[in-house]
Amino acid sequence: AETRDLSPLGVRLLTATPLDPGHVVKLDSDIVRAVLRVASVRRDATDGRYSIGGAFITVLFAQPRGGFVSTRA
């Protein structure tokens, strides 16, 4: 999977295989280790991969400070 968006509460991944909403997934990378619940699944029209939105059940970030930016319009 490829990480597309990461926040303190969840993540958006691109995958070749769809996952069902409610599915529990373990994520282990250099920047985050987590267990998440699949919240949404959409097929990307440009390349056919699946955009998976997940909400963290548990999460451990490699760096506990910095890195997140939030903006409001």
Side-chain angles (χ1 to χ4, degrees):
E2 179 181 327
T3 303
R4 299 306 287 170
D5 188 21
L6 180 66
S7 79
L9 300 178
V11 65
R12 180 155 305 277
L13 305 168
L14 284 180
T15 69
T17 305
L19 299 173
D20 293 326
H23 193 95
V24 175
V25 177
K26 180 180 175 185
L27 178 63
D28 193 1
S29 75
D30 293 339
I31 59 172
V32 64
R33 293 177 64 194
V35 175
L36 59 98
R37 184 174 317 279
V38 174
S40 66
V41 179
R42 294 190 180 102
R43 187 133 195 202
D44 189 315
T46 58
D47 64 8
R49 292 188 292 175
Y50 295 89
S51 177
I52 309 292
F56 292 134
I57 297 170
T58 63
V59 63
L60 177 63
F61 292 100
Q63 294 184 346
R65 297 184 193 161
F68 292 104
V69 176
S70 178
T71 60
R72 292 186 181 183

